[in-house]
């Protein structure tokens, strides 16, 4: 009982003074009851055996007392007393060669482990490098004597007994080693302080790594945007459709191959930024401010500029292709009409300059007059074509046709020649009219033939020109209009054929009269160059061109039907994909507000939802393929759907970004919960309260709703206190409070956080209560990488008690929490 009073520092009940066996048993029971009251279970130990001198039982009781009052209060990382003591020995002796503590018997036989424990805490007492593993007795006696002399640890063991025993007594060594633990208990505080510092430094190292990753990713993305925008803003038109089509193909390749990975990088950058800011808030570090020009808003601005340039570039490409297509059509039409006109004018100037009327007979003169009248009629009929040629040339100039110079030169030549023909025609008419009074009328039948044949010939030429005219259409309605006009033209052919037969009949009648009156004809009608052979030849040509025109129109009709099929095919898919994306966006909005179950359940559900969205990607790929077919077919409009491929792409990118941000929000809530020790029930309670006051179900609320939320959680709010809280949850003064800001605030209100003062106190323990610490002390107490991290960043200590190599741990600790500019 005296022994227990000395060890425990407590008073036991008064012993019984009698000498009888019953008195002795009662006193021993009082001692055993006291041991049991300290939570120690006594197995098979009875007072009678101890009174009777049972050595084994007595020694068992002594070991129980040692365990309870010398060993059991040892705790390292919440392990049992024995495991904790062993772990403490392993950590303290880890740096020493030839020492490997695995147990409390043979690991101590060579004495080096005892010497290492002393040297680790009192290096001035042991010359460890001079000890030899092959001299265990000397090693053991050295440790025992130093411990007894300088550490006030009694010599409990005998060196020879330990060396000469195959397996030293575990309980004896464990008891002796526990004396070292208690002797160096002050050093344990230093270890605790070192652990705290390591934890803080690890947070800073990880955050710095995340900041470096963000800076690099942001720089790469901004550089790509900087390189891409000038390419999209390069609007130098090409001369041919083929060159512009190649530009369009390059743009499609950019859309399909180059841009999608950058969309993913942009989304990942925002997620990394939000995760980093969350970690900084949870560890009470200042918010991360990226380098100038690399904020998320800067990247969003650059991205917006990119998409504006992209949209403008695509519109310009399609408009330019339409313009070049129109130009090619007009240029070909110009060449066709110019060639027909030039063929008609060939030789006309020479004919008008010919002075044949000076030597002609009376009948010849009359014939020349009638022929000139027919020519004038023909000349007037060609006026429309000349005006059309000039109008087409003017339109080509206005549309900036690349070969406008040659077009203008040819047009000017045609106009000059036309003016010359008009002047020559007028001069020849005056010459013919001068002698008209002396001429008799020319054969009326020849004249009638010429007058009717010339317009008919011109009609046939116009018909051939129309039948060979190029056409360009974009819709079924346009081609059906051309087919209708062609059918209407074909309906006029019977009347035209009757006119041809009437004209030929006039010619035959003139020949019959000449033959019956023995008149010798020159072989051709003197009033016109349009012979019956020419009429028949051109009529045959018209008959051949009609079915060719039929075939061309049917081919174009088939092409437009195919285009209409492509439009309907794309519209059918787009009218499914577009609403699907919109529905998914709305569902994500509801999920982010309702969020039931644990955060892990929510995260799993959201990731499954994300996989279902990604699995929908083939539908978008199919739509892209159909869109490419539409563009390759040069289809520029689609009345069957309001969705364009651009709308679908933007919606898809927004959908992927929204689900990723929602997942990131839950991950950040998990980070908040785990870092701040918030229970799942608290998190659900916070979510339910927030959703109740989030009237508009937008994921954020105004200050009035937030005040009501705080009051519902038990806050008694004055105006000053509410303004303080608003400055925490809405530092940017946006007027809105998000759920993440609410969670951060509640976690700060309900949990403890590490602070700069705590870190300073920990460093002070490692420094032995000094105002500075040395590099040697940091390397001894911290893991190598974290020790070097501190040494590289600590400023020299400038205090009056400074020594060479002294480092300022206070400024360093303050800087970790953003409270100084160090």
């Amino acid at each position: 009982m005296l022994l227990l009073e000395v060890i425990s520092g407590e008073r036991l009940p008064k012993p019984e003074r009698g000498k009888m066996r019953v008195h002795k048993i009662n006193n021993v029971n009082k001692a055993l009851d006291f041991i049991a009251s300290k939570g120690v279970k006594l197995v098979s130990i009875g007072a009678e055996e101890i009174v009777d001198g049972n050595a084994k039982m007595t020694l068992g009781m002594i070991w129980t007392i040692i365990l309870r009052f010398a060993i059991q209060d040892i705790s390292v990382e919440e392990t049992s007393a024995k495991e904790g003591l062993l772990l403490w020995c392993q950590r303290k002796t880890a740096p020493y060669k030839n020492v490997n503590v695995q147990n409390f018997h043979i690991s101590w036989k060579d004495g080096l482990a005892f010497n290492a424990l002393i040297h680790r805490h009192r290096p001035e007492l042991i010359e460890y490098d001079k000890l030899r593993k092959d001299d265990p007795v000397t090693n053991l006696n050295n440790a025992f004597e130093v411990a007894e002399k300088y550490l006030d640890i009694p010599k409990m063991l005998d060196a020879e007994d330990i060396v000469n025993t195959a397996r030293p007594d575990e309980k004896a060594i464990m008891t002796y080693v526990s004396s070292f633990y208690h002797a160096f208990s002050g050093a344990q505080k230093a270890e605790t302080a070192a652990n705290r510092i390591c934890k803080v430094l690890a947070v800073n190292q990880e955050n710095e790594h995340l900041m470096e990753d963000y800076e690099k990713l942001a720089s790469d993305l901004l550089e790509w945007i900087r390189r891409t925008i000038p390419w999209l803003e390069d609007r130098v038109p090409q001369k041919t459709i083929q060159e512009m089509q190649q530009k369009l193909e390059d743009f499609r390749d950019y859309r399909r191959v180059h841009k999608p990975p950058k969309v993913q990088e942009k989304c990942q950058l925002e997620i990394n930024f939000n995760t980093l800011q969350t970690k900084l808030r949870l560890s009470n570090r200042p918010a991360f401010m990226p380098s100038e020009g690399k904020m998320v808003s800067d990247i969003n601005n650059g991205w917006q500029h990119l998409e504006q340039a992209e949209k403008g570039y695509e519109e310009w490409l399609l408009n330019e292709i339409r313009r070049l297509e129109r130009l090619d059509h007009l240029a070909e039409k110009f060449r066709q009409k110019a060639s027909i006109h030039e063929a008609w004018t060939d030789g006309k100037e020479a004919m008008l300059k010919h002075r044949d009327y000076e030597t002609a007979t009376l009948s010849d003169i009359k014939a020349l007059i009638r022929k000139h009248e027919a020519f004038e009629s023909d000349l007037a009929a060609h006026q429309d074509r000349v005006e059309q040629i000039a109008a087409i040339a003017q339109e080509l100039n206005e549309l900036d046709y690349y070969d406008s110079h040659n077009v203008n030169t040819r047009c000017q030549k045609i106009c000059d020649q036309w003016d010359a023909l008009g002047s020559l025609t007028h001069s020849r008419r005056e010459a013919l009219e001068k002698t008209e009074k002396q001429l008799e009328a020319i054969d009326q039948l020849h004249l009638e033939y010429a007058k009717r044949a010339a317009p008919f010939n011109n009609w046939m030429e116009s018909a051939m020109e129309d039948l060979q005219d190029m056409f360009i259409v974009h819709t079924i309605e346009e081609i059906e209009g051309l087919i209708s006009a062609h059918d209407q033209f074909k309906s006029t052919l019977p009347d035209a054929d009757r006119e041809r037969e009437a004209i030929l009949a006039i010619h035959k009648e003139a020949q019959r009269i000449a033959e019956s009156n023995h008149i010798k004809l020159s072989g051709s009608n003197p009033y016109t160059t349009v012979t019956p052979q020419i009429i028949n030849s051109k009529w045959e040509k018209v008959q051949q061109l009609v079915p060719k025109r039929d075939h061309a129109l049917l081919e174009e009709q088939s092409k437009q039907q195919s285009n209409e099929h492509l439009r309907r095919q794309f519209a059918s898919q787009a009218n499914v994909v577009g609403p699907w994306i919109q529905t998914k966006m709305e569902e994500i909005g509801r999920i982010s507000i309702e969020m039931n179950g644990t955060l892990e359940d929510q995260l799993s559900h959201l990731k499954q939802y994300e996989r279902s969205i990604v699995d929908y990607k083939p539908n978008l790929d199919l739509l892209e393929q159909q869109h490419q077919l539409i563009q390759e077919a040069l289809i520029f409009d689609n009345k069957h759907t309001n969705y364009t491929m651009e709308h679908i792409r933007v919606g898809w990118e927004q959908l992927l970004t929204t689900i990723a941000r929602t997942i990131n929000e839950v991950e950040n809530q998990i980070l908040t919960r785990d870092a701040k020790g918030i229970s799942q029930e608290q998190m659900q309670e916070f979510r339910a309260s927030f959703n109740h006051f989030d009237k508009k179900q937008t994921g954020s609320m105004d200050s009035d709703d937030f005040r009501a939320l705080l009051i519902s959680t038990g806050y008694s709010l004055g105006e000053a206190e509410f303004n303080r809280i608003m400055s925490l949850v809405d530092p940017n003064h946006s007027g809105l409070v998000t759920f993440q800001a609410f969670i951060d605030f509640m976690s700060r209100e309900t949990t403890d956080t590490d602070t700069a003062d705590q870190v300073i106190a920990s460093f002070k323990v490692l420094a032995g209560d000094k105002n500075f610490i040395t590099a040697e002390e940091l390397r001894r107490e911290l893991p190598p990488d974290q020790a070097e991290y501190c040494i590289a960043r600590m400023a020299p200590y400038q205090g009056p008690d400074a020594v060479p190599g002294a480092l300022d741990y206070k400024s360093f600790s303050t800087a970790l929490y953003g409270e100084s500019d160090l």
Side-chain angles (χ1 to χ4, degrees):
M1 290 174 73
L2 288 172
L3 172 64
L4 289 173
E5 285 184 344
V6 171
I7 291 175
S8 69
E10 299 182 27
R11 297 290 293 176
L12 271 69
K14 289 185 179 182
E16 297 184 11
R17 296 301 181 183
K19 300 296 185 180
M20 297 175 64
R21 175 179 171 82
V22 65
H23 297 140
K24 295 178 181 179
I25 290 173
N26 287 341
N27 286 337
V28 173
N29 274 328
K30 288 180 180 180
L32 295 180
D33 289 344
F34 179 78
I35 295 171
S37 72
K38 296 301 180 181
V40 178
K41 292 184 179 181
L42 298 171
V43 182
S44 302
I45 297 178
E48 290 84 355
E49 288 85 348
I50 293 174
V51 170
D52 291 340
N54 185 321
K56 181 177 180 181
M57 196 70 70
T58 303
L59 289 173
M61 183 184 70
I62 295 300
W63 173 241
T64 299
I65 292 172
I66 292 170
L67 274 178
R68 171 59 184 84
F69 294 102
I71 296 175
Q72 191 168 318
D73 58 346
I74 296 172
S75 177
V76 178
E77 294 188 0
E78 300 181 0
T79 59
S80 67
K82 180 179 178 180
E83 292 172 344
L85 185 60
L86 185 63
L87 179 60
W88 178 78
C89 294
Q90 289 171 339
R91 287 183 175 175
K92 295 301 181 181
T93 60
Y96 294 88
K97 62 183 180 179
N98 297 327
V99 177
N100 183 19
V101 178
Q102 298 297 323
N103 49 56
F104 285 112
H105 38 82
I106 60 175
S107 293
W108 303 83
K109 284 190 66 172
D110 59 11
L112 290 177
F114 288 112
N115 284 278
L117 276 180
I118 297 171
H119 185 268
R120 176 63 188 271
H121 297 91
R122 296 288 299 276
E124 76 279 4
L125 300 180
I126 298 286
E127 293 184 282
Y128 185 84
D129 292 339
K130 294 184 178 180
L131 300 177
R132 301 201 320 274
K133 186 174 181 66
D134 58 0
D135 190 3
V137 174
T138 301
N139 296 343
L140 288 165
N141 283 327
N142 181 64
F144 296 161
E145 291 167 2
V146 168
E148 186 172 38
K149 183 176 180 180
Y150 295 101
L151 304 177
D152 201 23
I153 297 175
K155 185 177 179 182
M156 303 180 191
L157 305 174
D158 183 77
E160 286 72 13
D161 285 348
I162 293 175
V163 172
N164 296 327
T165 304
R167 179 185 168 109
D169 184 72
E170 185 177 44
K171 294 178 180 178
I173 290 180
M174 194 171 162
T175 303
Y176 187 58
V177 171
S178 70
S179 299
F180 285 88
Y181 176 85
H182 291 297
F184 298 131
S185 60
Q188 189 66 25
K189 295 179 181 177
E191 183 172 334
T192 301
N195 288 338
R196 177 182 293 159
I197 292 170
C198 289
K199 193 178 296 184
V200 171
L201 295 178
V203 170
N204 263 54
Q205 288 172 309
E206 181 185 1
N207 289 342
E208 287 179 4
H209 178 67
L210 289 174
M211 293 175 190
E212 291 169 1
D213 286 350
Y214 174 90
E215 290 281 338
K216 183 179 185 307
L217 190 56
S219 296
D220 293 346
L221 188 56
L222 287 168
E223 175 61 19
W224 179 81
I225 293 173
R226 186 191 64 77
R227 291 197 313 270
T228 306
I229 287 177
W231 174 65
L232 293 172
E233 291 179 342
D234 179 14
R235 309 288 165 82
V236 178
Q238 303 299 311
K239 292 183 178 180
T240 66
I241 287 183
Q242 291 73 23
E243 291 172 316
M244 291 305 297
Q245 287 281 13
Q246 183 57 49
K247 276 185 170 290
L248 182 60
E249 185 58 36
D250 292 342
F251 181 70
R252 289 190 190 125
D253 191 59
Y254 154 81
R255 274 269 181 79
R256 290 192 304 263
V257 179
H258 301 292
K259 186 183 177 186
K262 299 302 177 184
V263 173
Q264 291 297 108
E265 286 180 18
K266 176 176 176 291
C267 179
Q268 190 61 46
L269 189 73
E270 293 181 12
I271 289 173
N272 290 354
F273 182 84
N274 292 336
T275 300
L276 174 59
Q277 299 293 36
T278 299
K279 288 186 175 183
L280 290 171
R281 282 199 311 273
L282 295 178
S283 57
N284 286 335
R285 304 304 194 272
F288 169 53
M289 181 61 67
S291 302
E292 185 176 355
K294 295 180 184 177
M295 294 286 289
V296 172
S297 59
D298 295 323
I299 292 166
N300 286 335
N301 289 338
W303 193 265
Q304 186 178 8
H305 188 187
L306 174 77
E307 292 189 329
Q308 289 172 348
E310 184 178 302
K311 181 180 179 183
Y313 187 71
E314 184 175 38
E315 292 174 354
W316 172 76
L317 280 175
L318 297 177
N319 289 333
E320 194 64 17
I321 288 173
R322 290 193 194 99
R323 185 182 71 83
L324 289 175
E325 185 181 30
R326 169 77 175 152
L327 281 176
D328 282 357
H329 171 67
L330 286 174
E332 182 60 27
K333 195 168 186 176
F334 173 86
R335 286 189 285 271
Q336 243 184 31
K337 287 186 178 293
S339 297
I340 291 171
H341 178 77
E342 288 165 348
W344 178 82
T345 58
D346 185 39
K348 293 294 189 294
E349 286 191 29
M351 181 268 291
L352 291 171
K353 291 178 181 178
H354 194 212
R355 304 176 69 84
D356 51 349
Y357 54 86
E358 293 179 350
T359 58
T361 63
L362 181 61
S363 60
D364 291 335
I365 290 297
K366 289 184 177 183
L368 287 176
I369 291 175
R370 300 300 182 270
K371 182 179 179 181
H372 191 70
E373 289 175 352
F375 174 74
E376 285 181 322
S377 177
D378 199 11
L379 187 69
H382 278 271
Q383 176 71 31
D384 284 344
R385 183 177 291 112
V386 174
E387 290 174 355
Q388 289 173 6
I389 290 171
I392 293 172
Q394 179 63 27
E395 188 171 358
L396 286 171
N397 281 321
E398 290 172 354
L399 292 175
D400 195 24
Y401 182 51
Y402 76 94
D403 199 23
S404 290
H405 174 72
N406 290 331
V407 168
N408 292 336
T409 301
R410 190 172 183 181
C411 180
Q412 188 62 47
K413 183 178 178 182
I414 289 171
C415 291
D416 292 345
Q417 187 185 39
W418 183 255
D419 293 338
L421 285 176
S423 176
L424 290 172
T425 300
H426 180 71
S427 299
R428 184 172 176 82
R429 184 174 184 82
E430 285 183 343
L432 290 172
E433 287 177 347
K434 199 174 181 182
T435 57
E436 187 180 17
K437 294 177 182 179
Q438 300 150 10
L439 300 177
E440 292 182 356
I442 307 246
D443 187 351
Q444 188 63 36
L445 287 173
H446 277 186
L447 182 58
E448 184 180 355
Y449 172 90
K451 288 184 177 181
R452 293 181 69 174
F456 184 71
N457 180 61
N458 190 57
W459 175 86
M460 287 193 296
E461 286 182 347
S462 297
M464 288 190 291
E465 182 180 347
D466 290 340
L467 289 170
Q468 296 178 88
D469 188 21
M470 292 180 64
F471 57 83
I472 178 168
V473 296
H474 295 98
T475 65
I476 288 283
E477 291 75 16
E478 290 177 357
I479 188 62
E480 287 177 349
L482 289 179
I483 291 173
S484 175
H486 183 59
D487 289 342
Q488 187 176 355
F489 166 76
K490 288 193 291 184
S491 69
T492 65
L493 290 178
D495 290 339
D497 192 32
R498 284 190 288 275
E499 175 69 6
R500 180 181 67 87
E501 293 289 347
I503 292 171
L504 294 178
I506 293 172
H507 178 72
K508 289 176 182 177
E509 179 65 13
Q511 286 184 325
R512 187 190 67 76
I513 294 173
E515 290 172 358
S516 63
N517 293 286
H518 306 288
I519 298 172
K520 185 178 180 181
L521 299 176
S522 62
S524 61
N525 191 324
Y527 309 121
T528 180
T529 58
V530 181
T531 66
Q533 292 77 16
I534 290 174
I535 289 175
N536 285 331
S537 174
K538 289 184 178 180
W539 178 255
E540 185 180 347
K541 179 68 173 176
V542 169
Q543 294 295 97
Q544 293 171 352
L545 288 174
V546 167
K548 288 183 179 179
R549 184 70 167 185
D550 285 335
H551 179 70
L553 290 171
L554 289 175
E555 273 192 344
E556 183 62 29
Q557 185 182 37
S558 175
K559 175 185 172 185
Q560 290 304 323
Q561 288 172 342
S562 173
N563 288 353
E564 184 67 8
H565 172 71
L566 289 176
R567 287 188 184 96
R568 292 181 181 275
Q569 180 177 269
F570 175 84
S572 174
Q573 181 75 356
N575 289 337
V576 172
V577 173
W580 184 89
I581 291 175
Q582 182 62 33
T583 300
K584 292 300 176 186
M585 286 291 290
E586 293 171 357
E587 289 177 1
I588 292 171
R590 288 197 299 273
I591 290 172
S592 65
I593 291 172
E594 295 170 0
M595 290 198 174
N596 299 316
T598 67
L599 291 177
E600 285 74 9
D601 291 342
Q602 295 170 19
L603 184 61
S604 174
H605 177 60
L606 284 171
K607 288 188 175 179
Q608 289 176 358
Y609 203 82
E610 183 181 40
R611 285 193 292 274
S612 73
I613 290 173
V614 172
D615 290 343
Y616 197 75
K617 181 66 163 54
N619 294 284
L620 243 74
D621 296 338
L622 174 61
L623 202 59
E624 284 284 8
Q625 294 170 8
Q626 294 168 351
H627 178 64
Q628 181 168 346
L629 292 175
I630 281 179
Q631 286 199 327
E632 288 171 354
L634 296 178
I635 300 170
F636 302 112
D637 55 1
N638 193 338
K639 66 183 179 181
H640 304 297
T641 181
N642 292 326
Y643 294 99
T644 66
M645 197 63 232
E646 180 62 26
H647 293 151
I648 298 292
R649 289 192 196 106
V650 171
W652 179 254
E653 292 170 3
Q654 288 177 344
L655 180 62
L656 290 179
T657 301
T658 301
I659 186 65
R661 285 173 177 164
T662 306
I663 289 173
N664 181 244
E665 178 185 344
V666 176
E667 290 173 338
N668 285 342
Q669 290 179 27
I670 291 174
L671 280 174
T672 302
R673 182 198 66 191
D674 294 344
K676 300 300 185 179
I678 299 173
S679 68
Q680 184 63 39
E681 290 74 17
Q682 285 178 301
M683 187 63 78
Q684 288 175 340
E685 182 181 341
F686 292 158
R687 167 56 76 181
S689 298
F690 189 88
N691 285 348
H692 177 75
F693 288 95
D694 182 9
K695 305 297 185 184
K696 299 178 181 176
Q697 301 294 296
T698 61
S700 61
M701 61 179 67
D702 59 28
S703 58
D704 290 339
D705 289 340
F706 183 61
R707 182 192 294 271
L709 172 58
L710 289 178
I711 292 172
S712 75
T713 59
Y715 277 86
S716 178
L717 292 175
E719 195 61 32
E721 174 64 8
F722 181 68
N723 289 337
R724 179 191 73 82
I725 294 174
M726 282 301 295
S727 69
L728 295 176
V729 298
D730 184 21
N732 296 325
H733 306 294
S734 65
L736 295 175
V737 180
T738 65
F739 178 66
Q740 185 62 45
F742 172 60
I743 287 295
D744 290 344
F745 168 72
M746 293 304 293
S747 63
R748 281 196 297 269
E749 294 294 305
T750 57
T751 59
D752 294 329
T753 57
D754 59 291
T755 64
D757 290 341
Q758 289 178 343
V759 176
I760 291 171
S762 299
F763 273 119
K764 191 166 187 177
V765 172
L766 298 187
D769 212 33
K770 300 190 300 293
N771 290 323
F772 59 85
I773 195 166
T774 65
E776 180 183 357
E777 288 169 332
L778 286 170
R779 292 190 177 104
R780 185 175 72 229
E781 299 297 340
L782 299 181
D785 62 327
Q786 294 188 333
E788 297 306 324
Y789 179 85
C790 292
I791 293 167
R793 287 163 173 75
M794 281 187 181
Y797 177 68
Q798 304 293 341
D801 53 341
V803 300
L807 299 174
D808 187 348
Y809 63 77
K810 291 183 180 178
S811 297
F812 172 74
S813 301
T814 304
L816 288 178
Y817 291 83
E819 297 175 13
S820 81
D821 295 328
L822 184 63

